[in-house]
């Protein structure tokens, strides 16, 4: 780790003491680490997480929130703050910015985040639009499977799909295992038409990518796209300008070549729909997991919050979430771009 990174890990309250001089703080009963020894080692190597200083780092972030954003309505629990530290490799400043972005994003897009609970999304869930595969990949990543062809635009707007994805990410990130290992996305674009693709224009793309890259504490390790029609070139052309290089390099387009997919996701974790040996794709089990978490989401997303300005002051929103005014996102303009892919 560089000297600069190491300095970021030092709480202002202990700046005058070296790690050898300061005894590690005892872990309070409120937090119990659930990571295996292997994951503790992985977190140390990849995320700069030192178990002996974990609670000191959490306290440092908590102190920064209280000092810089005293009116921010947020949980300050150890387990909650750890999500942000892990997502930013225990860089205090970047973890704080991510936490602020997390709340800013939620308050800047009420169509997605108001009344966000599983029971409000039963139609999306029952459609089979998304699920999480029962088995993780060899790196321990959960696989989020998205099937846009299951969405019928006349039934509900595209924002309902985004709500279901966010709900799933919130549930996944509760696991410390996921915080360390990250997730993989498997997107099946079979049957996606020009009409359906035109709903995902630049305005929506900027917002979604802004959240995933800079407003949510999750590590996206890979995005595998299968069965993409030619129209996907147009979709990706809309998305790519907003992607950071690191994320863009994690997109893999396999087309109908399942052998290519299997070099990344082994057949034993995939359902037979994708050439796997894990049986038929099951959406009911994950739906039940979400619906069983109704009360948690009601507490988190269905309570009144103070006005954004009074809470976050001059906090900077991630790109794409600075304004509710759509950019050049007319249906005609988007369709013109998509038509060019034919």
């Amino acid at each position: 780790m560089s000297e600069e990174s190491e300095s970021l890990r030092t709480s202002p309250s202990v700046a005058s003491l070296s790690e050898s001089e300061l005894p590690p703080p005892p872990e309070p009963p409120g937090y119990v680490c659930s990571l295996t020894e292997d994951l503790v080692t992985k977190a140390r190597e990849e995320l700069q997480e030192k178990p002996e200083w974990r609670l000191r780092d959490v306290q440092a972030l908590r102190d920064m929130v209280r000092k810089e954003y005293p009116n921010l309505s947020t949980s300050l629990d150890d387990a909650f703050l750890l999500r942000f530290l892990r997502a930013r490799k225990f860089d205090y400043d970047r973890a704080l910015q991510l936490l602020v972005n997390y709340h800013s994003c939620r308050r800047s897009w009420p169509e997605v985040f108001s009344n966000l609970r599983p029971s409000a999304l039963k139609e999306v869930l029952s459609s089979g639009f998304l699920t999480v595969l029962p088995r993780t990949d060899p790196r321990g990543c959960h696989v989020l499977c998205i099937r846009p062809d299951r969405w019928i635009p006349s039934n509900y707007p595209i924002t309902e799909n985004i709500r279901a994805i966010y709900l799933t990410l919130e549930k996944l990130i509760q696991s410390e295992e996921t915080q360390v290992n990250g997730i993989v996305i498997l997107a099946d674009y079979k049957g996606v038409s020009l009409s359906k693709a035109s709903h995902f224009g630049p305005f929506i793309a900027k917002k979604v990518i802004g959240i995933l890259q800079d407003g949510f504490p999750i590590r996206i390790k890979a995005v595998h796209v299968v069965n993409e029609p030619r129209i996907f070139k147009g979709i990706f052309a809309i998305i790519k300008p907003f992607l950071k290089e690191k994320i863009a390099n994690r997109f893999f387009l396999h087309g109908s070549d399942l052998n290519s997919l299997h070099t990344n996701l082994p057949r034993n974790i995939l359902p037979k729909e994708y050439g796997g040996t894990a049986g038929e794709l099951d959406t009911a089990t994950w739906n039940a997991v979400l619906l069983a978490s109704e009360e948690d989401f009601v507490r988190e997303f269905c309570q009144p919050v103070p006005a954004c300005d009074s809470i976050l002051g001059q906090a900077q929103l991630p790109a794409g979430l600075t304004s509710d005014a759509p950019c050049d996102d007319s249906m005609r303009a988007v369709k013109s771009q998509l038509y060019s892919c034919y």
Side-chain angles (χ1 to χ4, degrees), residues 107-121:
R107 289 159 194 165
S108 70
W109 204 1
E111 297 91 341
V112 169
F113 296 104
S114 296
N115 192 35
L116 184 63
R117 51 181 170 175
S119 63
L121 293 165

Side-chain angles (χ1 to χ4, degrees), residues 76-276:
L76 294 176
D77 292 347
D78 296 340
F80 182 77
L81 294 179
L82 265 174
R83 302 177 188 180
F84 297 87
L85 286 165
R86 286 171 173 152
R88 292 298 180 262
K89 299 186 177 181
F90 283 75
D91 180 322
Y92 294 171
D93 290 331
R94 294 177 64 227
L96 176 63
Q97 187 61 58
L98 179 62
L99 175 64
V100 172
N101 290 350
Y102 172 82
H103 288 288
S104 299
C105 291
R106 285 171 51 173
R107 289 159 194 165
S108 70
W109 204 1
E111 297 91 341
V112 169
F113 296 104
S114 296
N115 192 35
L116 184 63
R117 51 181 170 175
S119 63
L121 293 165
K122 286 184 177 180
E123 189 172 7
V124 182
L125 299 178
S126 64
S127 74
F129 170 77
L130 89 172
T131 192
V132 174
L133 301 188
R135 300 181 63 180
T136 60
D137 78 354
R139 296 178 296 179
C141 303
H142 279 289
V143 181
L144 170 59
C145 180
I146 300 174
R147 300 186 293 169
D149 70 302
R150 310 291 292 187
W151 171 49
I152 301 175
S154 60
N155 288 353
Y156 49 83
I158 192 171
T159 48
E160 293 298 284
N161 294 330
I162 297 168
R163 282 158 59 81
I165 292 172
Y166 195 91
L167 200 74
T168 290
L169 295 179
E170 282 282 357
K171 185 61 182 177
L172 285 173
I173 204 60
Q174 291 176 4
S175 163
E176 289 195 284
E177 178 182 345
T178 300
Q179 294 168 27
V180 174
N181 289 329
I183 67 166
V184 167
I185 297 174
L186 172 60
D188 182 359
Y189 275 84
K190 181 179 180 180
V192 173
S193 64
L194 172 66
S195 175
K196 188 174 292 186
S198 64
H199 288 266
F200 193 72
F203 180 58
I204 295 290
K206 284 183 70 175
K207 280 180 169 285
V208 171
I209 293 169
I211 291 171
L212 293 180
Q213 291 188 144
D214 299 307
F216 195 83
I218 202 160
R219 307 173 72 205
I220 300 176
K221 306 302 291 183
V223 179
H224 296 284
V225 180
V226 297
N227 298 319
E228 69 273 17
R230 285 187 297 173
I231 198 67
F232 186 79
K233 292 181 180 179
I235 298 174
F236 197 65
I238 292 171
I239 295 173
K240 193 170 183 179
F242 311 123
L243 293 174
K244 295 179 180 178
E245 183 179 3
K246 180 174 70 173
I247 298 295
N249 291 337
R250 292 177 179 175
F251 270 74
F252 303 93
L253 310 184
H254 301 285
S256 59
D257 183 2
L258 294 181
N259 288 329
S260 172
L261 175 66
H262 297 159
T263 61
N264 296 274
L265 297 178
R267 296 177 68 231
N268 67 332
I269 75 166
L270 292 171
K272 70 177 187 179
E273 288 86 344
Y274 303 111

